Amino acid sequence: MEKFYLTTPIYYPSGKWHLGHCYTTVYGDAVARFKRLEGLDVFYLTGTDEHGQKIEKRAADAGVTPKAFVDGLVAEIQSLWRELNVSYTKFIRTTDESHVRAVQNIFKRLYEQGDIYKSKYKGKYCTPCESFWTESQLKDGKCPDCGRDVQDAEEESYFFRLSKYAPRVRELLTKSDYLKPESRVNEMVNNFIDAGLEDIAVSRTSFTWGVPVEFDPGHIVYVWVDALSNYITALGYNGDAPSADMQAYWPADLHLMAKEIVRFHSIIWPAMLMALDLPLPKKVVGHGWLLFGGDKMSKSKGNVVDPFVLKARYGADALRYYLLRAMPFGADGAYTSEALLTRINTDLCNDLGNLVRRTGKMNVQYFNGEISRGQAVSGEDDPVVAQMNALYGEVKAAMDEYKPQRALEKIFDLIGAANKYIDVTKPWALAKEGQTERLREVLYVLNEAVRIAGTLLLPFVPQTAAKIMEGLGLAVPERNKDLAFGKQKAYRTKEIDALFPRLNVEKELDELEKLADKKEEEKVEEKTESAPLITIDDFCRVQLRVAEVLACEKVEKADKLLKLTLKVGDEQRTVVSGIAKYYTPEEMVGKRVVLVANLQPRVMRGIESRGMILCASEGDKLTLVTPESLIGSGAEVC
Ligand code: MSP
């Protein structure tokens, strides 16, 4: 049986899932389901990317071990995929023992053959993106990917000889169909390869939550090397020995992802595979972002984008349909609750729902649900029949190019045409006039249209499509076959419930707004409730002192930071604080603040910050915590 290996990104277990996160995985699921219906043996891989400094920090903040921290979040994302009917074959976790061993072996092999070497890293690091940058790659001094502040990083590190593979990677991108859409190829070649591809640091020593380099355990394998390897370790690859799944499924037919991580998949990943002497994946597709008020991340208030909430309210298929239909291939799409609700009403409830409901009702009303070909064929059937006959080819062509939006457009064109066909042929008039044979044929045409559209909808809205088949009295097909007019000779149909209830958009928007407010409140409560209890001894380890602000200035090229000169008793010290949006330097001078005096110093923007000043925050508001009456600087806060 022909094999098809498909992967979606393994997610950071952030716990803040929004609808945008669901896009890649639902998209992958539509492709996986379509290929299975085509008779292919599909291996669909997804999972979680659990290592790195960011997780280590968040776990420490929560007072738990990183593994305990990720376990809960992994269970949550698995339940999200279940809720959305994602039919993955395997869920890999980068904390799986077999993956960890395999990454160690891969690293060792690359080191032994000279593709990895030890040197010193000096540059910048963006912790949220877990990415190294050189000074020249920064955009206005910030991470070019996410726009956030970067930290100075200088450490002994292992390097991967990416530069050695630059010519082959360039050729792969420019001379093959490896990366789609085309626009991303230019971006990669111009911005990264032709700008000079340097060797990359592939180990870190400043934290411990990751895969230790086996032969130098102070070093942790760079998270992207760890993460990208999942595509082969999931198939049992462990550095050299071939595994049965590797032989069966590798190379991947499709790596699907959003555009921001195309760089890793089209430069570092093929170079790693070249170094390992493995065949290269056939295709990388980088899709656009679902935008929330112009942003990839959802920070918007008033728009519920929690997929669990939306799923509970509108069902998995409505969300799947919206995501797959709203996003044109490779481009971004803007999310609004209104657009989601309108799609549900117009496409799913009106167009699809009405066709299925009207046809089903007439089946029962005129022929007791028993439909077969009528004797009176008419030329007026030709256009809709031709459309039915063309549809499978069109959907297949779209899906071969991984374009679910186009496939759905075509399916809904047929649904629209079938609805029009009802209006034109007027079955109720035929019944009144006693034209039974013509009426029978008209209903047969309609049932065929519902069957063909319903079957082709299976990859996109599986539950709805199965219900349509149930209404037609047919088993859910396991293969795309008989997708031409006339292939189903007769029907014994059943009445089914409405596929999608009509939504009152105004009312729903109102409800969603209330839900969004409630979620915000819950978040605040959760933050307060989830803080772990500490002992008085724990608390006493924190030294809080009153400090007077002697001088204050903005930190160059950092919108959020102020540099404060503080008087703490007889001592003076510098503290950098992220309060520039709330206070001007002039306002700060003379204020008495509360300082966490025994924090380890940290370098921010080249300035050593010794301590942290306390603030209270609520939503968008932030205010300094100050002593209620005048008290000398240096006074202890207890
Ligand atoms: N862990 C890495 C991937 C490693 S793959 C070897 C990662 N994780 S992530 O959790 O930050 O994002 C996972 C994926 O979520 C993104 O690649 C993208 O496919 C998807 N999306 C997250 N936000 C999105 C939108 N707003 N819109 C569309 N897709 C989005 O990156």
mmCIF file of all heavy atoms in Angstrom, residues 169 172-173 175-180 185 255 262 264-267 269-271 273 280-285:
data_model
loop_
_atom_site.group_PDB
_atom_site.id
_atom_site.type_symbol
_atom_site.label_atom_id
_atom_site.label_comp_id
_atom_site.label_asym_id
_atom_site.label_seq_id
_atom_site.Cartn_x
_atom_site.Cartn_y
_atom_site.Cartn_z
ATOM 1 N N VAL A 169 21.571 23.350 0.354
ATOM 2 C CA VAL A 169 20.254 23.801 0.823
ATOM 3 C C VAL A 169 19.693 24.822 -0.165
ATOM 4 O O VAL A 169 18.509 24.798 -0.518
ATOM 5 C CB VAL A 169 20.341 24.407 2.251
ATOM 6 C CG1 VAL A 169 19.038 25.061 2.649
ATOM 7 C CG2 VAL A 169 20.711 23.333 3.262
ATOM 8 N N LEU A 172 18.367 23.029 -3.085
ATOM 9 C CA LEU A 172 17.108 22.358 -2.742
ATOM 10 C C LEU A 172 15.940 23.342 -2.826
ATOM 11 O O LEU A 172 14.883 23.035 -3.380
ATOM 12 C CB LEU A 172 17.209 21.796 -1.313
ATOM 13 C CG LEU A 172 15.922 21.228 -0.715
ATOM 14 C CD1 LEU A 172 15.598 19.870 -1.334
ATOM 15 C CD2 LEU A 172 16.030 21.084 0.804
ATOM 16 N N LEU A 173 16.157 24.541 -2.292
ATOM 17 C CA LEU A 173 15.069 25.517 -2.250
ATOM 18 C C LEU A 173 14.778 26.120 -3.618
ATOM 19 O O LEU A 173 13.627 26.387 -3.947
ATOM 20 C CB LEU A 173 15.386 26.640 -1.249
ATOM 21 C CG LEU A 173 15.506 26.218 0.208
ATOM 22 C CD1 LEU A 173 15.676 27.423 1.110
ATOM 23 C CD2 LEU A 173 14.277 25.448 0.659
ATOM 24 N N LYS A 175 15.816 24.872 -6.724
ATOM 25 C CA LYS A 175 15.712 23.995 -7.900
ATOM 26 C C LYS A 175 14.722 22.855 -7.712
ATOM 27 O O LYS A 175 14.641 21.969 -8.560
ATOM 28 C CB LYS A 175 17.092 23.438 -8.263
ATOM 29 C CG LYS A 175 18.094 24.533 -8.565
ATOM 30 C CD LYS A 175 18.955 24.193 -9.770
ATOM 31 C CE LYS A 175 19.750 25.387 -10.239
ATOM 32 N NZ LYS A 175 21.109 25.448 -9.740
ATOM 33 N N SER A 176 14.019 22.845 -6.578
ATOM 34 C CA SER A 176 13.034 21.767 -6.417
ATOM 35 C C SER A 176 11.749 22.362 -5.874
ATOM 36 O O SER A 176 11.665 23.563 -5.608
ATOM 37 C CB SER A 176 13.557 20.693 -5.465
ATOM 38 O OG SER A 176 13.386 21.127 -4.131
ATOM 39 N N ASP A 177 10.783 21.512 -5.679
ATOM 40 C CA ASP A 177 9.477 21.943 -5.198
ATOM 41 C C ASP A 177 9.362 21.793 -3.687
ATOM 42 O O ASP A 177 8.275 21.683 -3.153
ATOM 43 C CB ASP A 177 8.432 20.997 -5.840
ATOM 44 C CG ASP A 177 7.637 21.737 -6.874
ATOM 45 O OD1 ASP A 177 7.913 22.923 -7.078
ATOM 46 O OD2 ASP A 177 6.733 21.105 -7.459
ATOM 47 N N TYR A 178 10.517 21.760 -3.028
ATOM 48 C CA TYR A 178 10.556 21.445 -1.596
ATOM 49 C C TYR A 178 9.647 22.347 -0.759
ATOM 50 O O TYR A 178 8.894 21.879 0.083
ATOM 51 C CB TYR A 178 12.006 21.582 -1.114
ATOM 52 C CG TYR A 178 12.248 21.291 0.346
ATOM 53 C CD1 TYR A 178 12.327 19.981 0.805
ATOM 54 C CD2 TYR A 178 12.438 22.318 1.267
ATOM 55 C CE1 TYR A 178 12.580 19.712 2.147
ATOM 56 C CE2 TYR A 178 12.690 22.058 2.607
ATOM 57 C CZ TYR A 178 12.751 20.748 3.041
ATOM 58 O OH TYR A 178 13.003 20.480 4.358
ATOM 59 N N LEU A 179 9.707 23.656 -1.016
ATOM 60 C CA LEU A 179 9.003 24.609 -0.153
ATOM 61 C C LEU A 179 7.872 25.318 -0.887
ATOM 62 O O LEU A 179 8.061 25.850 -1.973
ATOM 63 C CB LEU A 179 10.019 25.639 0.375
ATOM 64 C CG LEU A 179 9.488 26.789 1.217
ATOM 65 C CD1 LEU A 179 8.778 26.283 2.468
ATOM 66 C CD2 LEU A 179 10.629 27.732 1.619
ATOM 67 N N LYS A 180 6.708 25.351 -0.253
ATOM 68 C CA LYS A 180 5.542 26.050 -0.797
ATOM 69 C C LYS A 180 4.934 26.925 0.278
ATOM 70 O O LYS A 180 5.013 26.574 1.461
ATOM 71 C CB LYS A 180 4.480 25.040 -1.268
ATOM 72 C CG LYS A 180 4.853 24.286 -2.521
ATOM 73 C CD LYS A 180 4.566 25.130 -3.742
ATOM 74 C CE LYS A 180 5.309 24.512 -4.920
ATOM 75 N NZ LYS A 180 5.502 25.266 -6.079
ATOM 76 N N VAL A 185 10.113 30.836 -0.557
ATOM 77 C CA VAL A 185 11.443 30.454 -1.057
ATOM 78 C C VAL A 185 12.313 31.704 -1.145
ATOM 79 O O VAL A 185 13.437 31.729 -0.631
ATOM 80 C CB VAL A 185 11.331 29.772 -2.445
ATOM 81 C CG1 VAL A 185 12.714 29.496 -3.018
ATOM 82 C CG2 VAL A 185 10.505 28.492 -2.350
ATOM 83 N N HIS A 255 5.644 18.210 5.541
ATOM 84 C CA HIS A 255 5.773 18.871 6.845
ATOM 85 C C HIS A 255 4.916 20.135 6.757
ATOM 86 O O HIS A 255 5.194 21.020 5.937
ATOM 87 C CB HIS A 255 7.214 19.327 7.106
ATOM 88 C CG HIS A 255 8.197 18.236 7.377
ATOM 89 N ND1 HIS A 255 7.959 17.180 8.227
ATOM 90 C CD2 HIS A 255 9.464 18.056 6.928
ATOM 91 C CE1 HIS A 255 9.036 16.409 8.293
ATOM 92 N NE2 HIS A 255 9.953 16.910 7.504
ATOM 93 N N VAL A 262 9.114 28.171 9.211
ATOM 94 C CA VAL A 262 9.579 27.643 7.925
ATOM 95 C C VAL A 262 11.111 27.668 7.868
ATOM 96 O O VAL A 262 11.750 26.763 7.344
ATOM 97 C CB VAL A 262 8.955 28.467 6.767
ATOM 98 C CG1 VAL A 262 9.733 28.310 5.486
ATOM 99 C CG2 VAL A 262 7.502 28.057 6.575
ATOM 100 N N PHE A 264 13.331 27.126 10.081
ATOM 101 C CA PHE A 264 13.966 25.957 10.697
ATOM 102 C C PHE A 264 13.796 24.715 9.820
ATOM 103 O O PHE A 264 14.674 23.885 9.733
ATOM 104 C CB PHE A 264 13.361 25.696 12.080
ATOM 105 C CG PHE A 264 13.552 26.852 13.026
ATOM 106 C CD1 PHE A 264 12.567 27.807 13.203
ATOM 107 C CD2 PHE A 264 14.748 26.991 13.711
ATOM 108 C CE1 PHE A 264 12.762 28.882 14.061
ATOM 109 C CE2 PHE A 264 14.955 28.057 14.568
ATOM 110 C CZ PHE A 264 13.951 29.013 14.742
ATOM 111 N N HIS A 265 12.633 24.632 9.173
ATOM 112 C CA HIS A 265 12.329 23.437 8.380
ATOM 113 C C HIS A 265 12.905 23.476 6.975
ATOM 114 O O HIS A 265 12.941 22.449 6.300
ATOM 115 C CB HIS A 265 10.813 23.247 8.288
ATOM 116 C CG HIS A 265 10.196 22.803 9.578
ATOM 117 N ND1 HIS A 265 9.951 23.657 10.602
ATOM 118 C CD2 HIS A 265 9.793 21.581 9.992
ATOM 119 C CE1 HIS A 265 9.403 22.994 11.610
ATOM 120 N NE2 HIS A 265 9.301 21.730 11.269
ATOM 121 N N SER A 266 13.287 24.660 6.524
ATOM 122 C CA SER A 266 13.780 24.686 5.150
ATOM 123 C C SER A 266 15.279 24.962 5.103
ATOM 124 O O SER A 266 15.862 24.925 4.028
ATOM 125 C CB SER A 266 13.009 25.707 4.311
ATOM 126 O OG SER A 266 13.107 26.960 4.902
ATOM 127 N N ILE A 267 15.880 25.234 6.248
ATOM 128 C CA ILE A 267 17.334 25.443 6.243
ATOM 129 C C ILE A 267 18.023 24.447 7.194
ATOM 130 O O ILE A 267 18.764 23.574 6.762
ATOM 131 C CB ILE A 267 17.679 26.913 6.584
ATOM 132 C CG1 ILE A 267 17.094 27.822 5.489
ATOM 133 C CG2 ILE A 267 19.197 27.077 6.686
ATOM 134 C CD1 ILE A 267 17.298 29.278 5.686
ATOM 135 N N TRP A 269 16.777 21.984 9.075
ATOM 136 C CA TRP A 269 16.329 20.588 8.996
ATOM 137 C C TRP A 269 16.916 19.850 7.794
ATOM 138 O O TRP A 269 17.523 18.786 7.950
ATOM 139 C CB TRP A 269 14.802 20.543 9.043
ATOM 140 C CG TRP A 269 14.173 19.181 9.020
ATOM 141 C CD1 TRP A 269 13.107 18.807 8.245
ATOM 142 C CD2 TRP A 269 14.509 18.024 9.812
ATOM 143 N NE1 TRP A 269 12.770 17.509 8.499
ATOM 144 C CE2 TRP A 269 13.619 17.005 9.451
ATOM 145 C CE3 TRP A 269 15.492 17.752 10.760
ATOM 146 C CZ2 TRP A 269 13.669 15.727 10.010
ATOM 147 C CZ3 TRP A 269 15.549 16.479 11.329
ATOM 148 C CH2 TRP A 269 14.645 15.489 10.958
ATOM 149 N N PRO A 270 16.814 20.398 6.580
ATOM 150 C CA PRO A 270 17.432 19.649 5.477
ATOM 151 C C PRO A 270 18.942 19.496 5.653
ATOM 152 O O PRO A 270 19.501 18.448 5.312
ATOM 153 C CB PRO A 270 17.086 20.461 4.222
ATOM 154 C CG PRO A 270 16.505 21.728 4.688
ATOM 155 C CD PRO A 270 16.053 21.555 6.098
ATOM 156 N N ALA A 271 19.581 20.519 6.227
ATOM 157 C CA ALA A 271 21.036 20.407 6.429
ATOM 158 C C ALA A 271 21.349 19.278 7.423
ATOM 159 O O ALA A 271 22.293 18.509 7.219
ATOM 160 C CB ALA A 271 21.597 21.732 6.931
ATOM 161 N N LEU A 273 19.555 16.640 7.899
ATOM 162 C CA LEU A 273 19.298 15.371 7.203
ATOM 163 C C LEU A 273 20.420 15.045 6.220
ATOM 164 O O LEU A 273 20.816 13.887 6.068
ATOM 165 C CB LEU A 273 17.942 15.419 6.492
ATOM 166 C CG LEU A 273 16.734 15.452 7.431
ATOM 167 C CD1 LEU A 273 15.468 15.831 6.672
ATOM 168 C CD2 LEU A 273 16.547 14.099 8.126
ATOM 169 N N LEU A 280 15.659 13.529 1.806
ATOM 170 C CA LEU A 280 15.021 14.773 2.241
ATOM 171 C C LEU A 280 13.500 14.692 2.111
ATOM 172 O O LEU A 280 12.983 14.019 1.224
ATOM 173 C CB LEU A 280 15.538 15.933 1.398
ATOM 174 C CG LEU A 280 17.048 16.110 1.444
ATOM 175 C CD1 LEU A 280 17.478 17.256 0.538
ATOM 176 C CD2 LEU A 280 17.511 16.361 2.880
ATOM 177 N N PRO A 281 12.781 15.402 3.000
ATOM 178 C CA PRO A 281 11.320 15.408 2.916
ATOM 179 C C PRO A 281 10.871 15.908 1.537
ATOM 180 O O PRO A 281 11.580 16.669 0.891
ATOM 181 C CB PRO A 281 10.904 16.409 3.988
ATOM 182 C CG PRO A 281 12.076 16.555 4.879
ATOM 183 C CD PRO A 281 13.290 16.233 4.080
ATOM 184 N N LYS A 282 9.676 15.471 1.124
ATOM 185 C CA LYS A 282 9.239 15.866 -0.214
ATOM 186 C C LYS A 282 8.690 17.283 -0.233
ATOM 187 O O LYS A 282 8.808 17.980 -1.227
ATOM 188 C CB LYS A 282 8.177 14.889 -0.712
ATOM 189 C CG LYS A 282 8.765 13.509 -0.941
ATOM 190 C CD LYS A 282 7.740 12.552 -1.473
ATOM 191 C CE LYS A 282 8.261 11.132 -1.303
ATOM 192 N NZ LYS A 282 7.192 10.155 -1.225
ATOM 193 N N LYS A 283 8.065 17.677 0.864
ATOM 194 C CA LYS A 283 7.460 19.022 0.827
ATOM 195 C C LYS A 283 7.333 19.647 2.210
ATOM 196 O O LYS A 283 7.012 18.976 3.190
ATOM 197 C CB LYS A 283 6.077 18.924 0.178
ATOM 198 C CG LYS A 283 5.442 20.231 -0.015
ATOM 199 C CD LYS A 283 4.790 20.546 -1.334
ATOM 200 C CE LYS A 283 5.090 19.829 -2.584
ATOM 201 N NZ LYS A 283 6.000 20.413 -3.493
ATOM 202 N N VAL A 284 7.577 20.963 2.222
ATOM 203 C CA VAL A 284 7.332 21.777 3.416
ATOM 204 C C VAL A 284 6.310 22.834 3.001
ATOM 205 O O VAL A 284 6.528 23.543 2.022
ATOM 206 C CB VAL A 284 8.635 22.465 3.888
ATOM 207 C CG1 VAL A 284 8.352 23.585 4.870
ATOM 208 C CG2 VAL A 284 9.575 21.445 4.515
ATOM 209 N N VAL A 285 5.186 22.893 3.692
ATOM 210 C CA VAL A 285 4.199 23.934 3.382
ATOM 211 C C VAL A 285 4.107 24.867 4.586
ATOM 212 O O VAL A 285 3.854 24.433 5.713
ATOM 213 C CB VAL A 285 2.815 23.340 3.044
ATOM 214 C CG1 VAL A 285 1.739 24.426 3.052
ATOM 215 C CG2 VAL A 285 2.841 22.656 1.674
#
